[in-house]
Structures are given as structure tokens and as C-alpha cells.
Amino acid sequence: MMALPCLDPRCALDADDERSFALDDYEGPTARWCPGCGDHSVLTAVEKLLVAEQLKPEQTVFISGIGCSSRFPHYLKTYGFHGIHGRALPVATGVKLHRPDLTVFVVMGDGDCTSIGAAHWVHAIRYNARMVAMLLDNSIYGLTKKQTSPTTPRGLKTNTQPNGSYLPPLNPLTTTLGTTNVSFVAQTAEWIPAHLSATLRAAYHHHGLAFVRILQRCPMYTASIYERAVKDPSLVELLVHDDGIVVPELDGIYTARTTHDPAKLDEARQLADADDRIRLGLFFRDERRPCYDELRRTRKISAPERLALLNAELDKYAV
Ligand SMILES: Cc1ncc(C[n+]2csc(CCOP(=O)(O)OP(=O)(O)O)c2C)c(N)n1
Ligand code: SF4
């Protein structure tokens, strides 16, 4: 889908901008994640997306909470906000409301989004402001060194539950798909770069809040979780459809497939609920759902106009 023309007057200022951007224009300092951490792959895929879409660094913002994954904005030369644990989504919604001309990306860990940030998560999905929200799910609190998170698999031993996690893990896909006004839900895996890139591209072009759960390896604390699936493609099933995420490079490698029309919400919920295998692809998309940032958009007024309005109000009380 074509990006909407921006209504913000500031955009008109650079209509003649003929700059082109290379990787170097986005790449920040060397990332300090552990060797083999899946966050590196996500950063690479995001940088490639920025180049492919030629996003202006000064009009792109990455907003995160706190966690290993939330260090993301430091490693890019765009604007960034490394904020408060669990609060990336409300900050991002505020940014998008006030600066509709910016392209907003959100980076959250599973603790960040689905634990302390859970209330914000549900409401941000309902608000459906235009942004890409990435959940980098390594099923653990990484930064604070191996505590159980809501997505930790049952039985996995952690520092807070040394006898094994007690409860079945929360499913971020079904939770998101169950939220009123949800408009885009996809799942991908950072160890399949072609699928990751295609998913981020679809999310970027979505009109609304695109929620992408990225299965992420944490070799430090949850190395065992995706070990088998990384080596054996038959353990991964792709959702396929002409309106879904199409990745021809994976034909012949990932042969387990289910055809799913992303317009079908009930089917998406059923597919997301099954925990017998890893399913990747576009579960749901509906671009007709209302976006809060568009409904609340007001005409920008200049400082002299604002002053005139204020004076007119004050004049009402003049004696
Ligand atoms: C309000 C608040 N509560 C708790 C913390 C401590 N804390 C920092 S990061 C974190 C969890 C990080 O885990 P996750 O969000 O899954 O990201 P990861 O490090 O795995 O990428 C916690 C509990 C904090 N910084 N602020
Ligand atoms: S602790 Fe895990 S999530 Fe954090 S940087 Fe290391 S490998 Fe990555």
C-alpha cells in the first residue's frame, strides 16, 4: 500500500529533498548485545528496511522501553527514545499524535510489552495509531539476568522460578488478536532473515498499528528454546496467501505450509492458538479499522494565529 500523503505543513518544506540514503546514514555505534543474540539480526533487517524505503533519518524515530532489546535506538542514527520499562507504546502513541509526519517504530522485549506494559499494550492496539510495534520475544527477562517472563515456557528453570516456570506461557498473538480494533498481527523469526525482512516490509506499509512478534534467540539464557527449529525447517510452518507475506526465497526449504487468508480473524485466532508448532506469517490485516491519530488530527495553527485566538478569548472578559 502507498504511504499516505502527510498533512503536516513541515513536510512541504522538504518537497524538493533529493537526498538518497545508504546503510551508513542509519548505522550507529557497534551493538553491545551478546554474540549470537537475535537482536543483532533484527537490527540488520531494520537497517535494510530503512535503506530500501529511503526513510529520512530525521523523520524516523525508534521508541523502546528498558531491556536488552530496548537498547535498539542507541544503535541507529535516527531519532530515538530509550524510555521507561513497559511504556514504549504510550510514548509512541503520543509522538505519533503530535508529529504525524514521523515514521514511528517501537521495540519491546516480552517483559516490557506483555508484563509491566500489558495494560498499555492492549490500549495501544485498540488506538491503532500508525506505527510498527516489534515484540522481540526471547521468553525471558534478559537484561536483569534470567527471570521468568509471561512468555517463558512452562517448566523452564529461571532465577525467579528455579524449579521451573509454573504456568503455561501467555500467547502474545492471541492476546493481540483478541483486542478490539486490532488491525495487523504477524509472527516471524530472527533466524530466517528473508522472512523477517518481508514481514517488516509488510508491517511498515500497513495503515494502522502493525504488531509483529519476532521470535528471538537469547543464547545466554534461553538457548534451548529454538535450537531444534533453527536446525530443522520442518518444525516451522509458514502461513501462505497472496495477500500475506510472500517469501519466494524460502520455497523448497520451508515446505510445511498452511494457506490462510489474513482477512479471516476467527481463523487467525485458531491458528495462533495452536502451540504444537511454530507458525510464521501474517495472521490478520484489516486496513479499514479506525486510527486514533487520524481521528484526533487537528489542523496545525501558527503561533500568530494561536495568539490571536488567545487574545479573542481574553477579550471576552475585558471590562
Ligand atoms: C519500572 C521498572 N521495573 C523493573 C525494571 C527492571 N527491569 C529492567 S529490564 C527488565 C526486563 C527486561 O526483559 P525484557 O523486557 O523481556 O527484555 P530483554 O532484556 O529480554 O530484551 C526489568 C524487569 C525497570 N527498569 N523499571
Ligand atoms: S542476555 Fe540474551 S537478550 Fe540480552 S544481549 Fe545477551 S543474548 Fe541478547
Side-chain angles (χ1 to χ4, degrees):
M1 190 188 150
M2 290 278 292
L4 267 192
C6 181
L7 300 184
D8 192 289
R10 277 168 287 209
C11 280
L13 294 177
D14 50 18
D16 298 329
D17 190 346
E18 286 180 355
R19 288 174 298 164
S20 70
F21 302 101
L23 200 54
D24 197 38
D25 295 305
Y26 303 108
E27 259 179 345
T30 306
R32 287 171 50 199
W33 294 305
C34 305
C37 174
D39 292 348
H40 291 286
S41 323
V42 182
L43 181 63
T44 303
V46 164
E47 286 169 347
K48 285 183 179 165
L49 177 80
L50 297 173
V51 178
E53 301 295 341
Q54 287 291 293
L55 295 184
K56 295 182 181 125
E58 74 279 12
Q59 285 202 299
T60 306
V61 57
F62 282 78
I63 295 167
S64 65
I66 300 289
C68 296
S69 43
S70 288
R71 291 192 55 78
F72 217 91
H74 293 280
Y75 305 136
L76 289 163
K77 285 186 194 154
T78 63
Y79 278 101
F81 188 104
H82 182 191
I84 309 171
H85 193 38
R87 274 72 185 183
L89 282 167
V91 171
T93 306
V95 168
K96 191 67 192 173
L97 273 172
H98 195 67
R99 288 290 305 271
D101 57 314
L102 298 184
T103 302
V104 177
F105 292 87
V106 181
V107 184
M108 302 169 286
D110 39 291
D112 207 39
C113 175
T114 71
S115 184
I116 193 169
H120 298 302
W121 168 32
V122 168
H123 292 290
I125 297 299
R126 176 170 163 260
Y127 274 49
N128 195 31
R130 288 165 308 148
M131 63 180 75
V132 177
M134 291 177 276
L135 165 57
L136 276 59
D137 193 348
N138 57 6
S139 306
I140 201 79
Y141 287 4
L143 188 73
T144 44
K145 304 196 185 303
K146 205 180 185 184
Q147 289 132 3
T148 301
S149 98
T151 65
T152 301
R154 195 173 200 176
L156 191 104
K157 293 188 168 88
T158 69
N159 289 334
T160 42
Q161 299 189 339
N163 294 325
S165 169
Y166 293 102
L167 295 171
L170 181 144
N171 183 331
L173 298 176
T174 50
T175 306
T176 310
L177 287 164
T179 302
T180 306
N181 209 34
V182 59
S183 72
F184 182 109
V185 178
Q187 176 158 272
T188 185
E190 50 74 15
W191 66 87
I192 312 176
H195 196 275
L196 174 62
S197 286
T199 307
L200 293 179
R201 193 162 55 243
Y204 167 71
H205 286 284
H206 175 63
H207 185 82
L209 189 151
F211 180 82
V212 182
R213 183 192 188 199
I214 304 174
L215 305 179
Q216 181 232 316
R217 289 168 294 175
C218 169
M220 192 56 85
Y221 300 127
T222 54
S224 60
I225 298 183
Y226 299 122
E227 213 171 11
R228 286 180 59 232
V230 172
K231 291 182 184 145
D232 182 359
S234 74
L235 299 176
V236 175
E237 182 181 285
L238 300 187
L239 298 181
V240 290
H241 193 274
D242 287 347
D243 293 334
I245 289 158
V246 181
V247 197
E249 301 97 299
L250 299 182
D251 290 352
I253 305 170
Y254 288 87
T255 49
R257 284 156 186 244
T258 290
T259 302
H260 164 62
D261 178 353
K264 294 182 176 168
L265 183 54
D266 286 342
E267 190 178 276
R269 287 175 177 151
Q270 280 168 18
L271 288 167
D273 205 22
D275 56 6
D276 54 335
R277 59 175 58 227
I278 294 172
R279 286 210 167 100
L280 307 182
L282 183 57
F283 285 81
F284 181 65
R285 174 170 53 207
D286 182 353
E287 302 210 296
R288 295 160 308 171
R289 303 215 160 182
C291 299
Y292 189 76
D293 53 319
E294 291 180 348
L295 297 174
R296 290 294 307 273
R297 185 182 283 166
T298 50
R299 190 176 67 83
K300 289 258 181 269
I301 55 172
S302 63
E305 267 182 293
R306 201 185 294 268
L307 194 61
L309 283 171
L310 189 62
N311 281 334
E313 279 303 306
L314 291 175
D315 284 348
K316 289 181 190 166
Y317 304 99
V319 285

